[in-house]
Amino acid sequence: MRFPTDIKLLWETVEWNYRLLRSHCRVLRSALPRTKFNKWAKRYASYSRSRRPSKKQKRSLTRGLIRLLGKIHPILSDMEKEHSINYTAEREKRRRATATILRQQSQLFYKGERPKGRIVSLDRPYIRPIVRGKEAKSVEFGAKVNKLQVDGISFIEYLSFDAFNEGTRLRSTVYLAQGLFKTKTTILGADAIYATNKNRRFITAQDIKTDFKRKGRKTKYHGQYRLLAAMITKERATRLEGSFGTDKEHFLLKKIKARNKKTGTLWIFFGIHTSNALKIGQRIQNQAQKAA
């Protein structure tokens, strides 16, 4: 998926609706309504060739595409009602997505309000921008996974295409681990985002040792705690954080080519568990070699 912009998204939506309108007019043998599509097609082609378009150009083109989409969409809707036109499930989803894009982009452009559940791709309207704050990629697009790892084997605790705060899912992650392995969790390593007061109270009540940075004054056991926390952090950084890069680079999770939500979820599931299967197979092989 390429990095989306409002103008690219609007143009794709306008172009798809216009092609649909032309096909309906051809089948119904009716005149094609005047929409000035060719004029804005030339304007968009000129804009796309510009290396550094000005803010005035961007604003003018965005306004024009919103108006053009606002003109084509009602014509299509009236034609669908008048002639009782039925679509396939996929095309119907895309038609609803174009209506949502028109509403959201109008709200963003005219009112300056960021709409909730903003669509950034016409092909995959379920994908949302997720702000990651990384140096190279400040925003990523795709599913967000809260992953549990026990002895190097990964499990998906929660998956969503909407942004969510993974720090709120520590309690459910601990319960999932204890339910899977029928063993009480005693040691837990997690990122700093999980170190909320609520989570701290939970791990204290459960008597779980973590690598969270301690609050308050230093106690006489501070040295031992720092040593244990350093060991947990090192294990988490090498195993868990390393597994994200391995899964993305070697198990096709870097660029998921699925075209719908269910297939994308299945792609992620098989990528993570294929990595698990390879690790388990390598361990079995190593044990056999040692025994031999």
Side-chain angles (χ1 to χ4, degrees):
M1 174 178 167
R2 59 163 174 73
F3 191 87
T5 63
D6 293 334
I7 292 177
K8 289 177 184 178
L9 178 64
L10 280 168
W11 173 248
E12 287 177 357
T13 309
V14 166
E15 189 180 30
W16 186 83
N17 276 322
Y18 185 75
R19 288 203 311 267
L20 190 61
L21 179 62
R22 285 187 62 180
S23 65
H24 287 338
C25 291
R26 192 181 302 115
V27 172
L28 298 171
R29 296 184 179 180
S30 60
L32 185 66
R34 296 181 63 182
T35 57
K36 295 185 179 180
F37 174 81
N38 292 332
K39 169 193 168 182
W40 288 104
K42 291 178 182 178
R43 290 277 299 273
Y44 177 76
S46 175
Y47 167 83
S48 61
R49 287 194 295 268
S50 300
R51 289 189 176 182
R52 293 182 181 178
S54 64
K55 289 183 179 180
K56 185 178 179 181
Q57 284 178 299
K58 292 179 181 179
R59 189 166 182 82
S60 175
L61 185 57
T62 303
R63 183 190 298 110
L65 291 177
I66 289 174
R67 289 177 178 176
L68 181 58
L69 182 58
K71 187 175 183 179
I72 295 174
H73 184 75
I75 295 173
L76 265 175
S77 299
D78 294 340
M79 191 177 289
E80 290 160 0
K81 290 178 182 178
E82 183 181 352
H83 300 281
S84 301
I85 299 174
N86 295 319
Y87 296 126
T88 61
E90 287 298 319
R91 182 163 287 190
E92 183 63 33
K93 285 181 183 177
R94 183 170 286 203
R95 275 290 289 147
R96 289 198 299 269
T98 59
T100 306
I101 288 170
L102 175 59
R103 175 178 56 80
Q104 291 180 345
Q105 291 296 323
S106 299
Q107 179 183 348
L108 184 64
F109 183 79
Y110 293 110
K111 298 181 180 179
E113 300 174 358
R114 290 194 174 274
K116 189 177 180 180
R118 184 178 172 186
I119 294 177
V120 293
S121 172
L122 183 60
D123 284 336
R124 286 174 270 186
Y126 56 90
I127 287 180
R128 302 285 178 266
I130 299 174
V131 178
R132 301 291 290 164
K134 296 179 181 178
E135 186 177 352
K137 295 181 180 179
S138 59
V139 181
E140 293 181 349
F141 303 90
K144 188 173 183 179
V145 175
N146 186 49
K147 191 166 75 167
L148 157 71
Q149 192 175 86
V150 179
D151 196 23
I153 306 302
S154 302
F155 301 90
I156 300 172
E157 190 277 325
Y158 184 73
L159 184 149
S160 176
F161 286 92
D162 294 316
F164 65 91
N165 181 9
E166 60 268 32
T168 61
R169 305 204 60 84
L170 185 133
R171 184 190 295 259
S172 57
T173 304
V174 171
Y175 288 148
L176 174 62
Q178 293 180 159
L180 287 172
F181 296 95
K182 309 301 179 185
T183 305
K184 187 181 183 304
T185 302
T186 55
I187 297 177
L188 183 148
D191 202 357
I193 195 172
Y194 292 88
T196 61
N197 289 335
K198 186 177 179 180
N199 289 339
R200 288 174 186 271
R201 288 193 294 268
F202 171 72
I203 62 172
T204 301
Q206 296 288 321
D207 194 24
I208 299 173
K209 304 296 186 295
T210 69
D211 58 344
F212 294 164
K213 187 175 181 180
R214 303 195 77 175
K215 291 184 174 182
R217 295 180 179 180
K218 296 180 180 179
T219 65
K220 62 179 180 179
Y221 301 110
H222 182 71
Q224 292 88 329
Y225 179 83
R226 284 190 59 183
L227 183 61
L228 176 62
M231 293 172 64
I232 297 173
T233 301
K234 182 180 179 181
E235 189 70 14
R236 177 183 61 82
T238 53
R239 288 205 187 193
L240 180 60
E241 300 298 338
S243 69
F244 283 105
T246 302
D247 293 344
K248 288 179 180 179
E249 294 293 336
H250 300 288
F251 296 96
L252 307 180
L253 297 185
K254 187 177 182 180
K255 292 184 178 180
I256 296 173
K257 299 179 181 180
R259 298 299 293 273
N260 61 65
K261 194 172 185 178
K262 290 183 179 179
T263 312
T265 304
L266 195 63
W267 191 303
I268 295 168
F269 177 86
F270 275 108
I272 289 177
H273 289 293
T274 301
S275 175
N276 289 338
L278 185 62
K279 288 176 185 175
I280 294 170
Q282 288 174 344
R283 290 178 185 180
I284 292 173
Q285 185 179 16
N286 291 338
Q287 288 177 357
Q289 288 177 351
K290 287 181 180 179

